[in-house]
C-alpha cells in the first residue's frame, strides 16, 4: 500500500475518490471506510492498518458531504491524535479548522471549559498533574490525625492517589478496590475514603481538575445536564474511536451517550487488550456488537507487517483464549524462517543464545536498531544486560530502568558494601534511612560520630554510638549487619539471602507491596549472577566494572553504531522490529505463577502482542524443566509454548542436556 501523503491533491469527483479508495485499501478496509451503518466495529489485527482505515473513513465522510464539524475523532495519545490529523490533511489536501480530533482527555477539557460553571469551575481552571495531586494529598494527610509512619506508608509510591484514581476510573467504591487489589492496606480504608472526599473539595477550591476529572466530570456534566448533552449529540453525527479495546468503563459510557443520534464507529482488537492494570475493560469491545443494534463487524485480517510463519504462530496461540471475537490473520508477505524456540539450561545460557543470534542477524544485514529483546517482567533481564554490556553492544530500555539502577538492587548492594567497606558513607546512609524511625537528619548526626572510628561498623555493633531517635530501627539494622559481617567469608548468594531474611524482605513488603514478587525475583537473579564469584570482593568489583561498561555502551548511541532495544512487552505495543526475542518463556515467569483463568487470557494476549512485533525473525527461549533459582521456581516451558503445534516453529536444543 502506498503512502497517504502522495494523495494530498484535492479530489473533487466521487468516482475518482472511490477509485482511489479501492486502489489504496484492501477489500475489508474499503468496506469499513465506506460503510453506512449506524454502528460499526472494525475488528483489526496487528499490522492490519486499522488507523489507516479509520482515517480513510473520516476522509470519506467529508468527501461524501458530511461537515467536518460533525465529526468527533477520539484516540488515546497526543502523538496518535497528531498523526491522525496529519494523515487526514494529506488525504484531503487541507485540515478542516473546525474538526474535533484529539485524545479523550483533551476533548473532555475542551468541553469542560465551555461549560465550566456547570461543573463548579471557571473557564480558566487549571489541570493538576501527578505532582500536584501528590502534594495536595500529602497536605490533606498532614491535616488529619494519623501517625507519621502511617502517613508515610499511605503516601509511599503514590499509593493513596492510585487507589483514588482506580476507584474513579473503574466506577468501583474505594472499599471494593482496596479489598481486591490492596488488602494489605485495608486498615487505612477510612483514611483513604476521608482523604478522597477532602481531595474533591480541595480541587474545587483551587478551581482545578485532575486528569481523571477530564473524563469523569465530562460524563457527569452530560448526565446531569441533558440540554448540554443534547447540544453535542446534535452537533456530532459521527463518532470515530481508535484503539477501542483500551477504553475503560467511563470512556465507554461517554461514547454510549452519542448512540441514537450519531453513527458510532470504533476500531480495535480484543486480542491486543493488555492494559487491564490501567483500568481498560475488554468487555467494551467484546460486547460492542450486542450493545449496538444492527452493528456491522468488519474483520481486517490481512497483516502487512510479519511473515506468514510468524502470523501463523500468533494465530495458533490466540485461538486458546476463551472469550474473543474470532478472526484469522493472514499475510501475503514473502515466506521466511519459522519462529525459533530455543531450549537453554538457565538465564546465563539464554543470554549466550541471544548474543550468538544477534551476531548471526548482524552478519545477515540486520542492524541493531531492528532488533528487540522483549520480556514479561524486568527481573528477567540482568543476564542479557550483563552479556550485552560485556560485548560492548549498545542498548536502550523501555518500560523500566537498567538493572543496576533499580532501587531494590541498589538497596541490597548497599548492605553488602557496608560489610565490605565500613567507611562507605553513601551505602550507610542508604540502608539507615530505610529503617523505621530513622531519617536523613538523624543519620547525619550519627555519622559525624561513627566516621571517627577506624571501623564504623564494629563501633556500631559494639553499641558505641546509636541514634537518639529510631532506636528500634537501628537495632534491627545492627542484627542483620552483625550476622552478615560474622559470615562475610560465606558465598555471596548466602550473604544476599541473609540480608533478605533478616531485614530487607520486610522492607520490600512495606515499600513495594504491589511489586513485591517482581522485585524479589530481581534479587534472586542477582543471587544467580553472584554464584560465579568466589568472594564478596570479586563480586562488588565485577559490579562496579559492569556499571562502567554500561556507561560506555550507552555512549555508543552517539557514534551511530545503532542500539538494540530491551523492552517490556507492554511498552513495545505499537512498535515493530525485523527481529524479536521473547525471553523467559517459562511457566511461573510468563505466564506468572498467580495467573487465574481471566488473567491467563490477558497474559496470552500479551504473548500475542509480543510475537506480532516481529517482521522477519522471531525467537522464543525457555529454561530446562529442572532449573531452579532462589525461591523462583521455573516449572518448565511456558503454557504458551506447550500450546503451539510443533509444525509452527523450529526447535533449537541450545543446551545439550535438554
Amino acid at each position: 500500500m502506498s503512502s497517504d501523503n502522495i494523495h494530498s491533491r484535492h479530489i473533487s469527483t466521487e468516482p475518482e475518490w472511490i477509485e482511489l479508495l479501492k486502489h489504496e485499501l484492501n477489500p475489508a478496509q474499503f468496506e469499513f471506510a465506506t460503510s453506512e451503518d449506524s454502528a460499526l466495529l472494525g475488528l483489526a489485527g496487528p499490522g492490519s492498518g486499522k488507523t489507516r482505515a479509520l482515517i480513510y473513513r473520516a476522509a470519506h465522510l467529508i468527501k461524501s458531504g458530511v461537515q467536518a464539524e460533525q465529526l468527533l475523532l477520539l484516540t488515546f495519545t497526543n502523538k496518535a491524535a497528531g498523526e491522525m490529523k496529519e494523515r487526514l490533511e494529506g488525504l484531503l489536501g487541507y485540515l478542516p479548522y473546525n474538526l474535533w480530533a484529539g485524545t479523550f482527555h483533551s476533548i473532555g477539557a475542551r468541553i469542560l471549559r465551555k461549560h465550566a460553571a456547570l461543573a463548579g469551575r471557571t473557564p480558566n481552571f487549571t489541570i493538576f498533574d501527578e505532582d500536584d495531586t501528590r502534594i495536595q494529598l500529602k497536605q490533606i494527610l498532614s491535616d488529619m490525625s494519623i501517625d507519621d509512619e502511617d502517613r508515610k506508608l499511605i503516601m509511599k509510591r503514590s499509593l493513596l492517589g492510585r487507589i483514588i484514581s482506580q476507584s474513579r476510573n473503574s466506577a468501583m467504591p474505594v472499599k471494593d478496590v482496596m479489598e481486591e487489589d490492596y488488602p494489605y492496606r485495608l486498615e487505612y480504608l477510612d483514611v483513604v475514603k476521608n482523604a478522597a472526599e477532602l481531595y474533591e473539595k480541595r480541587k474545587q477550591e483551587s478551581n482545578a481538575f485532575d486528569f481523571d476529572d477530564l473524563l469523569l466530570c465530562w460524563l457527569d456534566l452530560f448526565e446531569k445536564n441533558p440540554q448540554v448533552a443534547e447540544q453535542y449529540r446534535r452537533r456530532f453525527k459521527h463518532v470515530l474511536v481508535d484503539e477501542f479495546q483500551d477504553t475503560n468503563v467511563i470512556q465507554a459510557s461517554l461514547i454510549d451517550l452519542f448512540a441514537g443520534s450519531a453513527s458510532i464507529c470504533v476500531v480495535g482488537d480484543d486480542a491486543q487488550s493488555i492494559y487491564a492494570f490501567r483500568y481498560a475493560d475488554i468487555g467494551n469491545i467484546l460486547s460492542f456488537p450486542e450493545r449496538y443494534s444492527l452493528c456491522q463487524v468488519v474483520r481486517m485480517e490481512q497483516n502487512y507487517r510479519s511473515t506468514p510463519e510468524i502470523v501463523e504462530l500468533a494465530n495458533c496461540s490466540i485461538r486458546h483464549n476463551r472469550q474473543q471475537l474470532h478472526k484469522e490473520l493472514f499475510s501475503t508477505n514473502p515466506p521466511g524462517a519459522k519462529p525459533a524456540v530455543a531450549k537453554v539450561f538457565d538465564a546465563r545460557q539464554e543470554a549466550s543464545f541471544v548474543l550468538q543470534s544477534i551476531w548471526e542477524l548482524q552478519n545477515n544485514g540486520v542492524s541493531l536498531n531492528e532488533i528487540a529483546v522483549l520480556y514479561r517482567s524486568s527481573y528477567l533481564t540482568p543476564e542479557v544486560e550483563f552479556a550485552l554490556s560485556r560485548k560492548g553492544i549498545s542498548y536502550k530500555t523501555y518500560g523500566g530502568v537498567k538493572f543496576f539502577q533499580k532501587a531494590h538492587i541498589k538497596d541490597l548492594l548497599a548492605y553488602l558494601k557496608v560489610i565490605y567497606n565500613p567507611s562507605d558513607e553513601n551505602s550507610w546512609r542508604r540502608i539507615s534511612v530505610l529503617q523505621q524511625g530513622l531519617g536523613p537528619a538523624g543519620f547525619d548526626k550519627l555519622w559525624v560520630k561513627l566516621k571517627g572510628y577506624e571501623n564504623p561498623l564494629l563501633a556500631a555493633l559494639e553499641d558505641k554510638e546509636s541514634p537518639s531517635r529510631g532506636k528500634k530501627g537501628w537495632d534491627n539494622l545492627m542484627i542483620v549487619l552483625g550476622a552478615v559481617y560474622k559470615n562475610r567469608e560465606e558465598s555471596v548468594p548466602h550473604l544476599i539471602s541473609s540480608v533478605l531474611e533478616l531485614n530487607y524482605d520486610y522492607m520490600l513488603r512495606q515499600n513495594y507491596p504491589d511489586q513485591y514478587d517482581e522485585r524479589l525475583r530481581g534479587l534472586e537473579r542477582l543471587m544467580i549472577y553472584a554464584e560465579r564469584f568466589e568472594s564478596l570482593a570479586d563480586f562488588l568489583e565485577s559490579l562496579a566494572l559492569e556499571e562502567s561498561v554500561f556507561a560506555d555502551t550507552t555512549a555508543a548511541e552517539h557514534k551511530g553504531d545503532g542500539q538494540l532495544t530491551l523492552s517490556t512487552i507492554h511498552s513495545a505495543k505499537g512498535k515493530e522490529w525485523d527481529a524479536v526475542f521473547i525471553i523467559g518463556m517459562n511457566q511461573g515467569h510468563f505466564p506468572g505463577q498467580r495467573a487465574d483463568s481471566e488473567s491467563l487470557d490477558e497474559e496470552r494476549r500479551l504473548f500475542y502482542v509480543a510475537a506480532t512485533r516481529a517482521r522477519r525473525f522471531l525467537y522464543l527461549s525457555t529454561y530446562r524443566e529442572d532449573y531452579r533459582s532462589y525461591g523462583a521456581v521455573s516449572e518448565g516451558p511456558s503454557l504458551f509454548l506447550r500450546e503451539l503445534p510443533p509444525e509452527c516453529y523450529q526447535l533449537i536444543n541450545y543446551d545439550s542436556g535438554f
Side-chain angles (χ1 to χ4, degrees):
M1 295 189 299
S2 55
S3 167
D4 300 338
N5 292 333
I6 63 172
H7 297 287
S8 59
R9 61 191 176 87
H10 184 69
I11 299 172
S12 56
T13 61
E14 184 173 336
E16 188 179 355
W17 169 251
I18 294 298
E19 285 304 310
L20 179 137
L21 289 181
K22 290 180 178 178
H23 179 265
E24 289 294 304
L25 304 176
N26 64 38
Q29 291 172 333
F30 178 83
E31 181 183 7
F32 177 83
T34 58
S35 171
E36 296 182 2
D37 288 83
S38 60
L40 178 63
L41 168 61
L43 192 61
S48 63
K50 61 179 177 55
T51 304
R52 174 188 178 87
L54 190 72
I55 296 304
Y56 271 87
R57 176 168 179 78
H60 177 68
L61 289 170
I62 294 172
K63 287 285 187 181
S64 301
V66 176
Q67 297 299 309
E69 63 185 30
Q70 295 178 313
L71 268 62
L72 176 61
L73 275 68
L74 295 165
T75 188
F76 280 84
T77 67
N78 289 323
K79 180 182 178 183
E83 290 176 351
M84 287 172 67
K85 292 176 184 177
E86 182 179 333
R87 294 170 72 177
L88 186 58
E89 182 177 11
L91 280 174
L92 296 174
Y94 66 99
L95 182 65
Y97 77 93
N98 52 357
L99 173 73
W100 281 41
T103 65
F104 277 91
H105 292 86
S106 67
I107 297 298
R110 186 171 181 177
I111 290 174
L112 287 170
R113 290 202 188 278
K114 289 179 175 291
H115 308 278
L118 294 174
R121 307 293 194 274
T122 61
N124 64 330
F125 63 76
T126 53
I127 300 172
F128 280 178
D129 60 20
E130 289 184 10
D131 196 46
D132 295 324
T133 295
R134 183 187 59 79
I135 291 170
Q136 283 289 340
L137 292 175
K138 185 177 181 181
Q139 184 60 51
I140 287 169
L141 289 180
S142 297
D143 294 341
M144 297 171 69
S145 299
I146 59 174
D147 182 80
D148 284 347
E149 290 301 317
D150 290 337
R151 186 180 297 114
K152 290 178 182 177
L153 280 176
I154 301 171
M155 284 301 297
K156 188 171 287 293
R157 300 186 63 249
S158 303
L159 177 64
L160 177 58
R162 284 189 287 123
I163 294 173
I164 293 172
S165 179
Q166 184 170 339
S167 170
R168 303 180 76 209
N169 279 283
S170 61
M172 291 172 60
V174 167
K175 182 175 184 291
D176 293 353
V177 168
M178 293 188 69
E179 285 179 343
E180 185 172 319
D181 294 327
Y182 307 94
Y184 49 84
R185 293 289 182 260
L186 263 177
E187 61 190 290
Y188 300 115
L189 174 60
D190 289 339
V191 173
V192 174
K193 290 170 68 175
N194 291 338
E197 292 176 5
L198 290 170
Y199 177 53
E200 292 304 310
K201 293 179 181 177
R202 291 284 180 92
K203 285 186 294 184
Q204 188 160 7
E205 291 168 357
S206 301
N207 190 37
F209 290 118
D210 65 16
F211 206 57
D212 293 336
D213 288 327
L214 301 180
L215 301 183
L216 290 157
C217 293
W218 171 12
L219 179 61
D220 190 61
L221 172 73
F222 277 17
E223 289 181 338
K224 291 181 177 178
N225 301 276
Q227 75 283 5
V228 175
E230 187 58 30
Q231 173 185 336
Y232 289 94
R233 282 166 54 88
R234 286 198 304 267
R235 170 173 182 150
F236 297 122
K237 297 304 181 185
H238 296 272
V239 177
L240 295 85
V241 186
D242 198 11
E243 303 288 3
F244 187 68
Q245 77 280 348
D246 294 334
T247 54
N248 63 24
V249 64
I250 307 301
Q251 290 158 329
S253 296
L254 284 165
I255 295 166
D256 285 345
L257 289 176
F258 290 97
S261 63
S263 162
I264 307 295
C265 166
V266 304
V267 65
D269 182 7
D270 62 291
Q272 295 186 78
S273 179
I274 60 172
Y275 294 119
F277 68 97
R278 293 182 186 168
Y279 327 123
D281 186 349
I282 190 174
N284 292 341
I285 190 168
L286 291 178
S287 65
F288 189 88
E290 286 73 44
R291 285 208 323 276
Y292 291 89
S293 61
L294 304 178
C295 171
Q296 180 187 11
V297 179
V298 177
R299 288 173 166 78
M300 290 177 261
E301 298 170 309
Q302 182 169 0
N303 177 289
Y304 291 92
R305 175 186 300 151
S306 306
T307 63
E309 291 79 5
I310 292 172
V311 166
E312 178 58 20
L313 181 142
N315 282 334
C316 289
S317 177
I318 203 64
R319 286 188 194 119
H320 291 273
N321 266 16
R322 298 164 306 140
Q323 287 188 301
Q324 59 178 302
L325 299 171
H326 179 73
K327 63 182 177 306
E328 192 78 8
L329 295 183
F330 68 93
S331 170
T332 58
N333 290 335
K338 280 187 177 183
V341 174
K343 287 188 172 184
V344 298
F345 179 76
D346 57 15
R348 191 175 182 182
Q349 194 174 68
E350 179 178 59
S352 174
F353 166 73
V354 170
L355 240 63
Q356 178 178 319
S357 301
I358 289 171
W359 179 78
E360 292 172 355
L361 286 167
Q362 287 186 288
N363 282 344
N364 287 322
V366 180
S367 72
L368 282 179
N369 290 328
E370 287 298 337
I371 303 174
V373 178
L374 307 184
Y375 36 87
R376 174 63 181 89
S377 302
S378 59
Y379 71 77
L380 295 167
T381 68
E383 290 290 353
V384 172
E385 291 196 51
F386 296 152
L388 292 172
S389 62
R390 281 195 295 269
K391 293 296 183 181
I393 298 176
S394 179
Y395 67 92
K396 55 191 172 185
T397 60
Y398 291 99
V401 296
K402 292 184 178 179
F403 187 67
F404 287 130
Q405 297 170 342
K406 298 178 189 296
H408 57 295
I409 301 298
K410 285 181 170 288
D411 287 345
L412 197 290
L413 293 176
Y415 284 88
L416 301 184
K417 289 177 180 179
V418 167
I419 299 300
Y420 179 68
N421 174 18
S423 297
D424 185 338
E425 179 183 352
N426 287 340
S427 295
W428 265 109
R429 175 177 284 103
R430 188 175 189 99
I431 61 177
S432 295
V433 299
L434 288 172
Q435 313 306 317
Q436 183 178 357
L438 283 169
F443 170 76
D444 288 341
K445 291 179 182 178
L446 180 61
W447 185 249
V448 168
K449 300 174 183 177
L450 280 177
K451 69 179 182 181
Y453 293 93
E454 181 178 350
N455 187 324
L457 177 55
L458 286 179
L461 292 174
E462 294 169 6
D463 202 23
K464 292 182 178 179
E465 304 290 347
S466 61
S468 55
R469 291 187 61 187
K471 185 73 165 60
K472 181 179 179 181
W474 181 257
D475 289 344
N476 288 336
L477 180 59
M478 290 306 104
I479 290 172
V480 63
L481 291 179
V484 178
Y485 187 73
K486 180 181 178 181
N487 297 306
R488 60 189 179 279
E489 300 303 323
E490 294 278 355
S491 70
V492 180
H494 177 81
L495 300 182
I496 295 174
S497 182
S498 296
V499 171
L500 267 171
E501 180 181 346
L502 295 172
N503 188 259
Y504 194 64
D505 185 76
Y506 174 78
M507 301 299 171
L508 273 183
R509 292 183 186 276
Q510 287 294 102
N511 296 336
Y512 310 102
D514 55 331
Q515 294 185 349
Y516 170 78
D517 290 340
E518 180 172 343
R519 289 175 186 260
L520 182 62
R521 294 287 184 90
L523 295 174
E524 289 161 349
R525 286 287 169 134
L526 188 66
M527 291 188 216
I528 296 169
Y529 177 71
E531 287 178 342
R532 68 192 71 173
F533 299 98
E534 294 184 1
S535 68
L536 180 58
D538 291 342
F539 173 67
L540 292 175
E541 180 177 324
S542 169
L543 292 185
L545 294 175
E546 293 285 7
E547 290 195 69
S548 174
V549 173
F550 284 165
D552 290 343
T553 56
T554 299
E557 176 184 8
H558 306 293
K559 301 176 184 177
D561 298 335
Q563 278 190 305
L564 178 137
T565 295
L566 263 62
S567 176
T568 62
I569 300 170
H570 283 103
S571 296
K573 187 161 184 298
K575 302 181 178 72
E576 58 186 72
W577 296 270
D578 277 350
V580 167
F581 295 82
I582 308 176
I583 62 173
M585 291 295 302
N586 277 63
Q587 200 69 13
H589 296 327
F590 189 15
Q593 291 173 325
R594 297 184 178 182
D596 55 23
S597 58
E598 183 174 337
S599 61
L600 185 63
D601 273 10
E602 176 143 341
E603 291 279 296
R604 192 178 287 105
R605 293 195 294 269
L606 199 58
F607 175 59
Y608 178 83
V609 167
T612 54
R613 299 310 94 194
R615 297 190 195 101
R616 298 165 55 202
F617 305 100
L618 178 62
Y619 303 86
L620 315 170
S621 52
T622 181
Y623 311 136
R624 61 183 297 163
E625 291 189 21
D626 62 351
Y627 172 64
R628 297 289 185 272
S629 66
Y630 289 81
V633 179
S634 168
E635 304 167 6
S638 167
L639 170 67
F640 303 148
L641 293 182
R642 289 184 274 120
E643 290 173 338
L644 295 174
E647 60 268 19
C648 78
Y649 61 85
Q650 55 177 320
L651 184 64
I652 300 175
N653 280 307
Y654 196 76
D655 168 43
S656 58
F658 243 116

